[in-house]
Amino acid sequence: MNNTTEEKREAIPNSVSRMLLAGIGVLLQVLWIFWLALKLNDYSTAIQVCTSVLTFLITLRIYGLHINSAYKISWIILILLFPIFGLTIYLLFGRSGAVSVMRRRFGENMTMLRRYHAPILQQRRALPYPDRITRNHARYLQDRAGYPAYDNTDVTFYGDTCEALEAQKTALRSAEKFIFMEYHAIEDASSWQELEDILAERAAHGVEVRVFYDDVGSIGFINSKFVKKLAGRGIQCRRFNPVIPILNVFMNNRDHRKITVVDGRVGFTGGYNLAEEYFNRTHPYGQWKDSGIRLEGDAVRGLTLIFLELWGATQKAAPDVERYLPDVPYTARENAVVLPYADNPLDDEATGENVYLNMIRSAKDYVYITTPYLILSDEMQRTLRLAASSGVDVRIITPGIPDKKLIFSVTRSYYASLAKSGVRIYEYAPGFIHAKQCVADGAEAAVGTINFDFRSLYLHFENACWFCGCSAVADVRRDFDALFPVCREVTQKYADTRSLAVRGWDCVLRLFSPLM
């Protein structure tokens, strides 16, 4: 298949014009602030000195932050090379601490929700983990991130999103009390409309239905009438972090989560959004590959609480919780340990990255990874290279047809150093691979929304599920075994010495990749 898109997306009513207007408004404000800073700097020697001192203090402050070193270096170099421009951009978009209102609401809501995690955390210390390594992984998520592990849960893995969608429809049709759905992107086309009809039918029978979507993620797919349309069908709907034409440092932090919960007894998560291309009903980037999982049993409680994290943070009053945590009788078929978890940009804990790092570091035989974007921190690069150099079979699958050409160039800029250490790199030849999954040694797996890039690991609200002790782990491995034959292995191509110009360009891309 040629490295071109097969077809364009279907033209549907959307809010791209609103995005453009907001972008123009923000750009004009940034340019005005930049122009004002330049004029003031030219006006007085004292102001120039103040700018120099401010530059030094902010770079010192960035250096002292407990964040990824590559992220710090990118900001420091930008500020030192272009002091006024760099300072302006950093003060507007580089400081997560500036989002005080959302940070306060999210923090208060999380503190309240932790009370519902606490009893489970106390009960889950002695679950039947297959070995010490998986027990330690679960301990990290419980002790540091605050998300409890669950047993009495069955996990179903879907390597085909069409199968996942059909399973979702079946679960939604059986809803009797409530339905929660949170997605980065919803497209008001056939896939969603099939789901919407089910939601409306259930709402008409008294089921409480909540739909939550990210405004930027969905802005190319739906317009401002979407919320009102759903309300007219009895469905509660909210946008996360709406796009506005006013400077807003929080605009860079998006809701990238994908969650469905039905009556607290069945839950779904994974990499796919609710848009046509995810189910291969359209093919803008060749064949789309994604994956997801279905949870049934006690661990659905974890997904419910993760949904309420952002839903509750977008309202002033504390959300009702207890009514959505019913005791659902269930007897699992397997002795799985299942741990739904989330990550957010408003704390200092890089939960998503740390889970991946733990899996790679503890792997003895193999660790396989799929990700649509590969923009790695120094620590992640070092961990991958060390594992491969130590004899672990490390393989990474990235897209063969990119959705964002610049980001794909950045992704490829990381290949050489990995390949030279023995990491095997594959590109999914049929099209775009959007799945975010990792499996290690046939013992544990993680499936969710978290890409191997800075945005997912540091800037977005994300979620995933780690599990062990069940057949779903082997199913994830089989999905990889089916993928490798249809991929192009490019390891040797990038392991070979390349020209100085190519290596220099790769360095430039990697230098500023944390800011993309």
Side-chain angles (χ1 to χ4, degrees):
M1 182 178 291
N2 295 327
N3 192 19
T4 56
T5 56
E6 292 187 353
E7 61 189 54
K8 295 182 179 179
R9 288 194 183 97
E10 181 183 356
I12 57 173
N14 58 53
S15 297
V16 171
S17 59
R18 179 166 60 88
M19 182 73 167
L20 291 174
L21 290 174
I24 292 170
V26 169
L27 179 61
L28 290 175
Q29 292 168 74
V30 170
L31 291 175
W32 179 80
I33 293 172
F34 180 55
W35 175 84
L36 183 62
L38 281 175
K39 286 297 182 182
L40 290 174
N41 210 48
D42 293 338
Y43 182 76
S44 166
T45 303
I47 293 177
Q48 291 179 8
V49 172
C50 289
T51 301
S52 299
V53 172
L54 184 61
T55 300
F56 173 75
L57 292 176
I58 288 182
T59 53
L60 194 63
R61 166 62 177 160
I62 294 172
Y63 179 77
L65 291 174
H66 296 290
I67 58 175
N68 184 269
S69 59
Y71 199 63
K72 292 192 284 189
I73 289 170
S74 295
W75 278 115
I76 289 172
I77 290 178
L78 181 65
I79 292 171
L80 292 179
L81 285 177
F82 311 102
I84 296 176
F85 175 76
L87 281 175
T88 302
I89 298 300
Y90 176 74
L91 292 173
L92 291 174
F93 302 112
R95 300 178 304 136
S96 60
V99 292
S100 57
V101 174
M102 185 61 185
R103 181 180 293 275
R104 176 180 55 78
R105 284 188 183 177
F106 186 81
E108 291 173 351
N109 194 53
M110 286 293 291
T111 299
M112 183 270 295
L113 291 175
R114 290 294 185 226
R115 297 202 298 268
Y116 296 93
H117 284 304
I120 309 299
L121 284 168
Q122 293 300 320
Q123 299 169 12
R124 305 298 171 174
R125 301 299 183 189
L127 290 179
Y129 299 100
D131 51 49
R132 177 183 57 81
I133 290 173
T134 53
R135 183 177 67 248
N136 289 348
H137 289 182
R139 182 176 180 179
Y140 162 74
L141 281 166
Q142 293 185 109
D143 292 352
R144 293 292 298 170
Y147 294 101
Y150 295 85
D151 57 0
N152 193 37
T153 301
D154 287 313
V155 183
T156 304
F157 172 76
Y158 300 102
D160 183 336
T161 51
C162 293
E163 292 181 8
L165 182 63
E166 290 306 313
Q168 240 170 305
K169 291 177 186 176
T170 300
L172 292 172
R173 291 188 186 102
S174 68
E176 297 178 352
K177 296 178 181 178
F178 68 90
I179 295 170
F180 292 164
M181 301 185 76
E182 176 179 0
Y183 285 85
H184 177 67
I186 295 175
E187 180 180 6
D188 196 5
S190 65
S191 302
W192 166 255
Q193 287 161 4
E194 291 166 11
L195 292 169
E196 183 185 314
D197 287 342
I198 298 172
L199 298 179
E201 188 273 334
R202 290 289 81 206
H205 284 81
V207 175
E208 181 183 359
V209 182
R210 296 181 181 180
V211 173
F212 196 36
Y213 69 90
D214 184 81
D215 198 26
V216 170
S218 301
I219 206 162
F221 295 128
I222 55 181
N223 58 26
S224 57
K225 299 178 181 178
F226 184 75
V227 174
K228 292 181 179 179
K229 183 186 77 163
L230 294 194
R233 304 193 73 178
I235 301 167
Q236 300 179 54
C237 183
R238 292 182 186 173
R239 295 181 296 174
F240 178 77
N241 201 0
V243 174
I244 55 175
I246 299 173
L247 277 176
N248 175 7
V249 295
F250 190 51
M251 195 59 63
N252 206 29
N253 304 121
R254 309 311 314 177
D255 180 6
H256 198 239
R257 298 176 179 181
K258 290 97 178 171
I259 295 170
T260 291
V261 175
V262 179
D263 290 344
R265 57 180 177 80
V266 181
F268 294 83
T269 190
Y272 63 95
N273 286 295
L274 303 180
E276 299 294 85
E277 61 209 46
Y278 294 86
F279 309 106
N280 280 297
R281 299 191 182 188
T282 60
H283 301 87
Y285 312 110
Q287 187 75 12
W288 194 281
K289 166 62 181 174
D290 221 321
S291 63
I293 57 171
R294 177 183 187 268
L295 305 182
E296 188 170 8
D298 293 359
V300 179
R301 175 189 177 102
L303 279 182
T304 303
L305 289 169
I306 291 171
F307 173 88
L308 291 171
E309 287 180 4
L310 287 182
W311 182 274
T314 55
Q315 62 189 39
K316 293 182 179 180
D320 190 1
V321 177
E322 291 186 7
R323 60 182 294 197
Y324 305 114
L325 302 175
D327 291 325
V328 180
Y330 186 75
T331 302
R333 298 182 298 275
E334 297 184 282
N335 295 320
V337 177
V338 184
L339 208 160
Y341 62 95
D343 199 0
N344 73 83
L346 303 181
D347 61 21
D348 296 325
E349 190 67 31
T351 304
E353 184 176 38
N354 287 340
V355 170
Y356 287 144
L357 287 170
N358 276 340
M359 293 180 70
I360 297 165
R361 286 169 178 162
S362 62
K364 296 178 180 179
D365 298 318
Y366 71 86
V367 59
Y368 298 160
I369 296 162
T370 63
T371 179
Y373 314 113
L374 190 72
I375 304 177
L376 305 175
S377 67
D378 291 341
E379 185 176 11
M380 181 64 76
Q381 291 181 71
R382 193 162 55 248
T383 302
L384 288 165
R385 293 199 303 264
L386 178 59
S389 300
S390 302
V392 177
D393 181 9
V394 182
R395 304 188 193 187
I396 302 174
I397 303 177
T398 62
I401 299 177
D403 65 335
K404 303 176 180 69
K405 291 184 179 181
L406 177 60
I407 302 301
F408 191 52
S409 296
V410 176
T411 288
R412 283 179 160 175
S413 75
Y414 286 89
Y415 287 178
S417 63
L418 296 174
K420 288 177 181 177
S421 297
V423 177
R424 299 179 68 179
I425 310 294
Y426 295 79
E427 292 182 345
Y428 178 65
F432 188 73
I433 190 161
H434 190 258
K436 309 94 166 45
Q437 57 192 43
C438 180
V439 64
D441 293 345
E444 58 178 332
V447 176
T449 73
I450 308 173
N451 301 320
F452 278 69
D453 70 352
F454 283 90
R455 286 205 155 270
S456 271
L457 299 175
Y458 297 104
L459 296 177
H460 289 170
F461 294 86
E462 304 277 357
N463 79 279
C465 186
W466 175 89
F467 49 94
C468 65
C470 57
S471 59
V473 176
D475 292 338
V476 177
R477 167 62 196 260
R478 279 191 285 271
D479 192 55
F480 276 98
D481 290 340
L483 281 170
F484 292 132
V486 299
C487 292
R488 297 185 296 265
E489 184 171 2
V490 297
T491 309
Q492 192 57 51
K493 174 183 176 181
Y494 285 88
D496 294 338
T497 301
R498 296 172 303 149
S499 69
L500 181 62
V502 171
R503 284 180 284 146
W505 176 240
D506 284 350
C507 287
V508 172
L509 289 174
R510 289 197 302 273
L511 178 61
F512 293 105
S513 61
L515 309 182
M516 294 183 180

